[in-house]
Amino acid sequence: MRRIRVLVPLTVLLATVASLTACGEDSEPTPAGTSAPQTIAVTIEGDTIEPNGERIEVEIGQPVEFVVTADAEGELHVHSDPEQELAYEKGTTILEIGPFDKAGIVEVESHDQHATVVQLEVK
């Protein structure tokens, strides 16, 4: 009997120390939707677009930022749900979309140049 009485308080003490140690850690999980944006540089000069149809991976909950450098104003069309139209100016314009909440392929096109700029592979 005495042996059990000694072990029970020791077990409680070890459990308490372990829980206090875990509470003292500084690492906290990152809330969903707070990841750094995926930045994609887009250059549009005349009929030339870079990137040109490349597939780029994006995490669910990750916003996307397009840094568009163009020789004329125009629009990017994002074929997401809902669809989005992003106007850019001549020069450099930063456009933000997302974050996306489900997996799939999202095409981003320039209708002025009749070309797919990128395919966002949301995972």
Side-chain angles (χ1 to χ4, degrees), residues 35-116:
S35 59
Q38 170 73 287
T39 301
I40 301 169
V42 177
T43 303
I44 302 172
E45 293 181 9
D47 292 338
T48 304
I49 295 181
E50 288 295 328
N52 190 358
E54 293 177 26
R55 187 166 284 189
I56 298 174
E57 289 185 10
V58 178
E59 294 178 20
I60 289 177
Q62 182 178 26
V64 177
E65 179 179 84
F66 292 101
V67 180
V68 180
T69 303
D71 61 356
E73 64 182 29
E75 279 186 350
L76 296 179
H77 292 236
V78 182
H79 294 275
S80 59
D81 186 21
E83 288 196 14
Q84 301 175 56
E85 296 178 358
L86 307 172
Y88 57 84
E89 301 292 325
K90 180 179 180 179
T92 301
T93 306
I94 298 174
L95 306 168
E96 295 183 20
I97 61 170
F100 300 102
D101 59 356
K102 60 184 173 181
I105 303 295
V106 177
E107 289 190 349
V108 179
E109 299 176 343
S110 169
H111 283 208
D112 297 328
Q113 281 78 12
H114 306 289
T116 300

